Amino acid sequence: MALPQAKQDATEARLSAVTLPQGAGWLMQLREAAIARVREMGLPTARDEYWKFTKPDTLVQADAPEAALFDEGEAPIFDRIDRLKVVFVDGVFDAEASDDLSLEGLSIERLSDVAQADIHWAKELYGSLEERGQDPVHRPLAALNTALAEDGVVIHVTGKVSKPVNLIYHHKSTSSDAILHHVIKLDAGADLTVLENGPAAARFNKVMEVDVADGAAFHHVRTQGRDHERRAATHIFARVGKESAFKTFTLTANGVLTRNECVVEMVGDNGVAHVAGACVGDGDFHHDDTVFVTHDAQNCESRQVFKKVLRNGAKGIFQGKILVKPDAQKTDGYQISQSLLLDGDSEFNAKPELEIYADDVACSHGSTSGAIDEDALYYLRARGVPKAIATDMLTLSFLAEAVEEIENEGLRDEITERLEGWLERRRG
Amino acid sequence: MLEIKNLHVDLEEEEKTILKGVDLTVEAGKVHAIMGPNGSGKSTLSYVLSGRDGYEVTEGSATLEGEDILEMEPEERAAAGLFLAFQYPVEIPGVGNMTFMRTALNAQRKARGEEEMSAADFLKLVREKAATLKMSNDMLKRPVNVGFSGGEKKRNEILQMAVLEPKMCILDETDSGLDVDAMKLVSEGVNALRDEGRGFLVITHYQRLLDHIKPDVVHIMADGKIIKTGGPELALEVEKNGYTDLLGEVA
């Protein structure tokens, strides 16, 4: 179907401003195919159904809007965790700040190095899950990423890895426009945890493709911090094999525009996929979680758990879908999205969707929006807890259901501590 | 200890007067009971005293050790020594019972200019008090009142009272929803707290709680007023003849 003229013009205008990064033949082919996908789909506009609640213009336009640098006075999260650090500054790998990239059970390479190799295993994966994820809903910013990303990590996990890989981002230029593309392949029985944190750039377009083979486990915990003026469009594409697990959690605090998409395809029986997020927004804050989980195998379990705390006119969006294909019998699907509106100015929009073609499934979903429970607040105050602290306690308890999706207790505590800090700094 | 004078209270949301001139003084070391039919204003009195939203005091006063409590925030009343054991304790998912009690205790201590209690001392204190109320470790760890039976919720109220050591305790229908064994446990918990320096106001519909918590003074409340005051024998009279006779007698 031909694109509307306005969309086609906007897309061509944007593409005319880009040049494909150079690389080996296999990668150039993939980049060109991705550009072709972008042309075919067109870049998002405010009129697209999938962008009804989030204006894509600043994510699409040629130049990144400026974003003030964020004072990193506070010690970065995960500092107390034993992990392998991989550092990017404004979207460029920083070898000096990173650890030696060797760890038993995996190999890590830079995308920019891989791009020069004549032949590489990543050829089979780079852009392939992104391409699969374009159907039935287009995600053109992810295809644009596949075409343009010059850096990122390419990780092959062959066994159980003893400590997490921590992708750490730094934002040092007010006009940086970072595009990173990570590819992670887990072999059968492999096990890896990836952590991500730090302000990445003024504008950040990131794709992470994760292929979880049979019996493997992938855990992901990410924080998007207090770099308030950031604009980010991130995508996770995961393919989950037989008896394997994929679990991702994101904490988002502040940010004028964040769109996190997570696209999960369950292709092997007895798999588990958990996608969770807690977000806290104050003032000029816009956060969009867009999730799509496809069940294409039997007896799989998926959970989507999203909690948003919004105040002073902050805006939260949740678009979540569970698609159960005809043969995906015994699917157990769960989806909950809830917002806690701390005042009358804040806003939450939710679009929960279930599309089920199998007949023997258990799927449930719910979405609520509400204020602090007055009875609980009175109860706490009647015991002597001051109103501001009582409000924070109830806010944390509201977020807890999402935070509890993180399996590792140490990581869970780190996240809770950050949330407490965020609330404390705002205590009236 | 607690002095209530000519207290008139309206509902904020609608044009309705609930309390129509309550006069009541609870002395330190004494247990006063308020009995009365449904809708007489007993629970409203407990809410107004503890500072719940939705009520407007149109006349009269309430003081705790001479201090006007009606002007205070609920948490200030708690720090001043007022405690309400709720008729319907609230479930708070996600907030651990221990965390809740420790936060409350230390907030009260801080408000009074006292040192906060250490985690270790607190743990010792709670374990000791919980044992006498036959509360398991699991109940202490669980989120506040979540998954508690009616009796467990009431025991949890008494545990909080024991830990916070208030000067003035108001018990709102603490007997409702309790079986005989639970009532005994709860009453023993309350009796253990009876002290020369502490006042109690026990609100109840039935006399049976007063078999376990023996009152010094019994008040009968009807239509927003105390209509009769007497000794423990007044409660027995209610038990025997119901409220109808008493109400008729006054009218």
Side-chain angles (χ1 to χ4, degrees), chain A residues 195-208:
Chain A
L195 310 174
E196 287 186 281
N197 66 284
R203 183 168 69 177
F204 190 31
N205 180 333
K206 189 194 67 185
V207 166
M208 180 185 277

Side-chain angles (χ1 to χ4, degrees), chain A residues 211-244:
Chain A
D211 193 16
V212 190
D214 297 352
F218 179 77
H219 294 265
H220 175 233
V221 177
R222 136 174 90 165
T223 62
Q224 296 168 314
R226 293 182 282 130
D227 50 329
H228 187 65
E229 294 176 13
R230 115 186 131 254
R231 287 163 199 280
T234 78
H235 292 80
I236 298 172
F237 295 95
R239 180 165 54 191
V240 183
K242 190 175 154 189
E243 284 162 13
S244 60

